[in-house]
Amino acid sequence: MPTTSELLFSLSTQSAEHSYAPYSNRREGVVVLLEDGSVVHGCRVENASFPLTISALLNAMSTLHSVARMDIAMIASSRAFTEAEKAYLCGMPNFEWIFPDSTTAHLGGTIPEPKESLFPLLPDWGTSTMKGAEQARDISDLAWCPESDFPVGSVIRTANGHHIPGVNVEHPDWSQGLCAERNALSAIIAYDYGMPTEIYVSCPKESGGTPCGACRQVILELAPEATVWMDRIDGPPQAMTAQELLPGGFSGDVLRKPKL
Ligand code: THU
């Protein structure tokens, strides 16, 4: 019988296979075991602008907020945690991590048996764009934004009819936070939910809010055909295509790519 850590390690290597890593082929996965035994997945999501790459750890940890589940029991990674990742975990307020080995972290509580995967999905409400903007506004309640007090919510619809939530997740080290749009996009890769067709974004505190430059770059690469619907709170959402949001965006076409 494998131990729980062995089982989680094996699940993390399966998550790694979902990675979007066309520039390095460095696949990595992370799974988070929650107190009821459900498992949340994250994988590496690269970008032509390398510094915008989302690690498997950041991907999984940010998804936890989108589904309002911070009852973490254990984390397992398909490769050794880097010092930066340990610093990321230890920098989270109110979490005291124990690292029993190089690929595992836990909080010292009871470790449940892993059961089924937790899927970050919202119910299908159809294709009403008004409803999509409202859903993004509602989900912003789950944002973790103690630094800015600026909640952002995003919901992405994919070609196969899934609706994936994302919220902004902040960290005392600001450079380690993740925007709502990129949170939802990276979950789509981790769970293989297919091509984004509509991206809804809501900044309830700013009716004119639009995606930041980094999100535009990532949207252009991962959701080039998507329409971005920006919640205008008191009126119908404003639509722009990924191309309109970032004319002349960096494509990275000439970057070195590994031979697969
Ligand atoms: N933020 C987003 O979530 N999406 C954007 O496109 C703009 C910025 C978040 C990041 C940070 O938590 C807060 O808003 C202030 O920058």
Side-chain angles (χ1 to χ4, degrees):
M1 274 288 278
T3 64
T4 298
S5 326
E6 285 165 350
L7 198 59
L8 288 181
F9 177 75
S10 145
L11 287 175
S12 73
T13 61
Q14 289 172 29
S15 292
E17 287 311 305
H18 290 231
S19 295
Y20 171 74
Y23 306 104
S24 73
N25 200 29
R26 240 179 273 154
R27 292 160 184 275
E28 62 189 36
V30 160
V31 289
V32 182
L33 176 67
L34 299 175
E35 283 173 2
D36 66 355
S38 51
V39 177
V40 171
H41 302 262
C43 65
R44 178 178 173 92
V45 179
E46 294 185 347
N47 188 270
S49 177
F50 289 1
L52 295 181
T53 293
I54 299 165
S55 71
L57 180 65
L58 185 61
N59 188 343
M61 297 302 282
S62 304
T63 298
L64 295 181
H65 284 276
S66 308
V67 295
R69 291 293 300 269
M70 292 308 287
D71 53 316
I72 303 168
M74 189 178 241
I75 305 179
S77 169
S78 63
R79 53 135 179 85
F81 289 119
T82 62
E83 289 308 313
E85 286 172 334
K86 288 185 186 173
Y88 167 84
L89 289 172
C90 295
M92 290 169 63
N94 309 322
F95 287 86
E96 296 287 333
W97 296 99
I98 299 165
F99 296 94
D101 59 61
S102 63
T103 62
T104 316
H106 67 84
L107 294 160
T110 317
I111 310 286
E113 258 181 55
K115 295 195 191 110
E116 69 284 358
S117 292
L118 186 156
F119 298 102
L121 286 175
L122 298 173
D124 184 356
W125 69 80
T127 52
S128 153
T129 56
M130 207 55 180
K131 184 91 180 129
E134 274 165 30
Q135 292 281 321
R137 200 183 314 154
D138 288 351
I139 204 82
S140 73
D141 282 348
L142 301 177
W144 175 251
C145 51
E147 303 285 331
S148 68
D149 196 22
F150 186 75
V152 184
S154 179
V155 176
I156 301 184
R157 184 178 163 87
T158 61
N160 37 26
H162 291 309
H163 293 88
I164 297 91
V167 296
N168 54 329
V169 178
E170 297 182 347
H171 189 277
D173 174 352
W174 287 12
S175 67
Q176 303 297 311
L178 194 63
C179 290
E181 303 91 312
R182 282 181 280 161
N183 188 357
L185 281 168
S186 54
I188 288 173
I189 305 284
Y191 285 82
D192 240 340
Y193 282 143
M195 212 14 116
T197 51
E198 278 89 31
I199 299 177
Y200 298 97
V201 189
S202 179
C203 308
K205 290 195 171 170
E206 196 196 352
S207 62
T210 68
C212 75
C215 286
R216 293 176 191 214
Q217 176 72 37
V218 175
I219 290 170
L220 194 63
E221 182 155 347
L222 298 179
E225 306 298 327
T227 304
V228 180
W229 294 90
M230 293 160 285
D231 184 19
R232 291 295 170 251
I233 321 273
D234 296 322
Q238 183 189 352
M240 282 178 88
T241 65
Q243 322 286 333
E244 284 166 345
L245 278 171
L246 193 62
F250 178 56
S251 78
D253 286 345
V254 298
L255 291 172
R256 178 162 51 104
K257 297 218 173 60
K259 288 200 177 66
L260 301 177

